[in-house]
Amino acid sequence: MTILAIHEKPYMLIGLFWTRKFKPAKNNHKYAILIPARNEEAVIANLIHSIRKQDYPAELITIFVVADNCTDQTAKVAAEHGAICYEHFNPNERTKGFALKYLFEKIEEDYGIQAFEGYFIFDSDNLLKKDYITRMNESFDAGEKIITSYRSTKNWTESWIASTYALHWLRSIRYRHRARSVLHLATNIQGTGFLISNEIVRNGWKYTSLTEDRALTADCVVEGYEISYNDAAIFYDEQPVSLKIALRQRLRWSKGHLQAFAESGWGLFKNIFVDKNTVHKENDKWYRYLWRTIRHRFMSFDTFGQLLPKNIVTCFRWIFWKLFLFPFLIYQSGGQMYLFRNSTYLSKIVRYFVGDCDKVNLEQGWKGYLLCVLIVIWARIFYRMGKYLINIWVAVYLFIIESDRIPKFSIWKKILYCFTWPTFDIIGRWTQYFALFKKVEWKPIPHKSKITIDDLEN
């Protein structure tokens, strides 16, 4: 577990100072923009409007919308605003992945996949900064096949729930995307705001699980693709404001995470040791091939580490060792335990004041066994409290380092959001536990925000 996370600290340091930058493109490429939509009549027009305002040649952009199992006027609104719209009705195919699969099938049928050099994928609630496609075209023109972008938030202050999502996307940028782009490795696709080459979907779209983005990421890394990141290409996303909706979405993410690991984990693990996708090129020097295969193996290792459900592995390890085996050791021979001993700063502060007063002597037998179980549970709670306090400083760091790109609001709200931010990881941990045993169905996240790209630009 330590080995799988050993590179995260260097990533954080690189992400603090550097990101990959791209030169102005020599060529403008032809793109299709794909928008899967389920009952999105309230926001779809705003997204199309932001696409129409791009400073990229309009004749090289075609907008496709798939109105997926809609019961409102999404298809009508999209068509009225100039999008090519297909309607998909199949109650047995309700995920975003199935909607994209159907849309790619219709594009192949009516235009051919090769008619477009690249495909952007957005959610209906997104908004694009005016130069978004121009910036992404710079990455594409540089030879990148899969590119993700800077995900900002358009409803930061609607609720503390929305702020936790906003900070999560900024953390992903600083802790994951920037470093991996500098090192020419594979970062992870996160749902929306990304561009893929037509060669990725030459045989259609096959990612239909609850989290199609994780499956796409894993599959592309297995095949040897670098996944890049463009820090200058900014789009805006609407975040949930209701705890109920957030819990439902996070449970779906967690279940999809487990599904993606079951589908692709073994392939990534094998790639670390047996690389069948890096081939010798004509007149290839041995050291160039060696570097490419090392990079591919490390990308597989890196992505496997992301995909592995670490929270579940750690939980089962704790249950088996600390909650099951260790109390029996106390039952048999007794021993000593401490109430405030762990690696967090909270533990060090408490121990500074209490010294050795937190030592508990346990006698052998059932009394010692039961008291041991209670202390083990308390120690875990105390450890999580310490991690919660440390995580608050991540929000402080993000507010400082990303201050130029975060909308202006009061310092008091920022302080509040620093203290509520750790709940994002707490919810993620517990939804993973529930996802192990609960059947999860894909349900749409309601989007109601009236914010437009003009509002954000002004």
Side-chain angles (χ1 to χ4, degrees):
M1 294 294 289
T2 302
I3 290 172
L4 287 171
I6 199 169
H7 53 289
E8 292 181 359
K9 291 289 193 298
Y11 279 1
M12 291 166 56
L13 185 61
I14 293 170
L16 175 60
F17 296 105
W18 298 285
T19 188
R20 186 177 176 189
K21 297 181 180 180
F22 296 90
K23 297 178 180 179
K26 296 179 180 179
N27 303 294
N28 289 330
H29 299 270
K30 188 176 182 182
Y31 299 114
I33 294 178
L34 310 189
I35 309 168
R38 172 85 62 84
N39 293 338
E40 300 282 13
E41 64 179 2
V43 294
I44 188 109
N46 291 335
L47 169 57
I48 296 173
H49 172 64
S50 73
I51 296 171
R52 296 299 185 197
K53 289 192 65 175
Q54 293 292 298
D55 60 8
Y56 196 77
E59 65 274 13
L60 296 179
I61 303 172
T62 305
I63 303 172
F64 293 94
V65 173
V66 52
D68 180 43
N69 292 291
C70 289
T71 57
D72 67 353
Q73 299 298 311
T74 296
K76 180 182 178 182
V77 173
E80 287 176 348
H81 285 79
I84 299 169
C85 189
Y86 297 98
E87 295 188 73
H88 176 233
F89 294 101
N90 187 335
N92 297 319
E93 298 181 351
R94 299 174 64 85
T95 70
K96 176 181 173 181
F98 277 117
L100 287 170
K101 180 176 181 292
Y102 177 80
L103 185 51
F104 273 110
E105 288 171 355
K106 299 305 291 184
I107 291 173
E108 172 63 28
E109 181 181 322
D110 295 342
Y111 301 87
I113 295 294
Q114 299 302 315
F116 304 97
E117 294 173 78
Y119 291 87
F120 286 95
I121 296 178
F122 295 107
D123 289 340
S124 302
D125 58 295
N126 297 159
L127 299 172
L128 313 186
K129 192 176 177 181
K130 186 177 181 179
D131 63 346
Y132 180 88
I133 295 179
T134 297
R135 295 295 192 178
M136 292 291 275
N137 184 62
E138 292 172 353
S139 301
F140 194 83
D141 195 56
E144 300 301 323
K145 302 298 184 182
I146 316 172
I147 312 111
T148 189
S149 55
Y150 187 100
R151 187 176 195 159
S152 190
T153 296
K154 64 183 182 181
N155 62 326
W156 256 96
T157 58
E158 275 194 61
S159 81
W160 66 270
I161 294 290
S163 75
T164 64
Y165 278 83
L167 287 166
H168 166 67
W169 303 128
L170 295 182
R171 178 177 62 176
S172 294
I173 288 166
R174 286 287 172 171
Y175 284 23
R176 297 178 181 178
H177 301 332
R178 288 169 63 100
R180 290 186 176 107
S181 67
V182 167
L183 299 172
H184 290 254
L185 298 172
T187 191
N188 58 312
I189 298 299
Q190 292 182 303
T192 183
F194 62 95
L195 169 64
I196 56 177
S197 169
N198 57 19
E199 71 179 68
I200 304 296
V201 288
R202 58 184 176 273
N203 297 318
W205 181 270
K206 58 183 179 180
Y207 310 104
T208 58
S209 64
L210 292 171
T211 50
E212 72 293 328
D213 51 348
R214 289 184 181 273
L216 171 65
T217 297
D219 203 23
C220 288
V221 171
V222 167
E223 294 181 16
Y225 285 100
E226 176 185 330
I227 304 177
S228 192
Y229 163 72
N230 190 316
D231 193 64
I234 301 174
F235 77 100
Y236 302 88
D237 195 28
E238 180 181 345
Q239 309 307 334
V241 297
S242 159
L243 181 59
K244 178 181 177 181
I245 297 298
L247 289 172
R248 190 175 78 193
Q249 184 184 60
R250 300 297 300 283
L251 184 62
R252 173 171 62 82
W253 287 2
S254 294
K255 192 69 172 184
H257 186 167
L258 297 177
Q259 291 175 345
F261 180 73
E263 292 169 0
S264 307
W266 177 240
L268 288 167
F269 186 75
K270 285 194 301 182
N271 254 33
I272 300 171
F273 305 101
V274 181
D275 179 10
K276 295 183 178 179
N277 292 288
T278 303
V279 296
H280 282 281
K281 297 180 180 179
E282 188 175 353
N283 300 322
D284 205 3
K285 300 291 185 182
W286 67 269
Y287 54 85
R288 291 178 180 170
Y289 169 77
L290 178 63
W291 165 246
R292 290 203 310 276
T293 188
I294 290 173
R295 188 180 68 167
H296 184 203
R297 291 167 191 263
F298 183 78
M299 287 195 306
S300 299
F301 164 81
D302 190 8
T303 306
F304 177 82
Q306 289 186 69
L307 206 57
L308 180 71
K310 298 186 184 73
N311 289 331
I312 291 175
V313 175
T314 302
C315 180
F316 274 99
R317 183 184 62 184
W318 175 76
I319 290 172
F320 182 72
W321 176 248
K322 294 286 189 180
L323 204 58
F324 180 70
L325 290 183
F326 183 67
F328 278 110
L329 180 64
I330 296 296
Y331 170 83
Q332 187 174 25
S333 57
Q336 292 181 340
M337 293 186 70
Y338 296 90
L339 296 177
F340 305 112
R341 301 294 173 101
N342 59 56
S343 59
T344 66
Y345 289 106
L346 177 62
S347 174
K348 293 176 182 178
I349 292 170
V350 172
R351 291 205 316 270
Y352 177 81
F353 289 102
V354 303
D356 288 334
C357 295
D358 64 334
K359 186 191 299 183
V360 179
N361 293 311
L362 302 178
E363 299 177 359
Q364 66 184 72
W366 284 111
K367 184 178 179 180
Y369 172 90
L370 293 174
L371 191 56
C372 176
V373 169
L374 292 175
I375 293 175
V376 165
I377 294 172
W378 155 250
R380 194 65 181 175
I381 294 172
F382 183 66
Y383 170 76
R384 286 298 172 195
M385 290 167 59
K387 298 293 284 185
Y388 177 96
L389 293 174
I390 292 172
N391 208 4
I392 289 172
W393 291 102
V394 174
V396 175
Y397 160 76
L398 293 171
F399 273 122
I400 294 171
I401 203 71
E402 290 288 338
S403 59
D404 291 343
R405 290 181 169 184
I406 294 175
K408 306 302 180 186
F409 49 88
S410 74
I411 187 65
W412 301 111
K413 281 193 174 181
K414 289 180 180 178
I415 292 172
L416 171 64
Y417 296 160
C418 286
F419 280 95
T420 57
W421 146 247
T423 60
F424 189 89
D425 289 343
I426 294 172
I427 291 172
R429 181 179 302 107
W430 283 94
T431 52
Q432 274 202 347
Y433 301 154
F434 282 105
L436 269 179
F437 309 102
K438 184 175 176 59
K439 182 179 180 181
V440 179
E441 294 183 357
W442 192 93
K443 294 181 180 179
I445 303 300
H447 299 122
K448 304 295 182 183
S449 176
K450 301 296 183 182
I451 297 173
T452 67
I453 193 62
D454 300 316
D455 297 327
L456 295 171
E457 288 175 350
N458 290 334

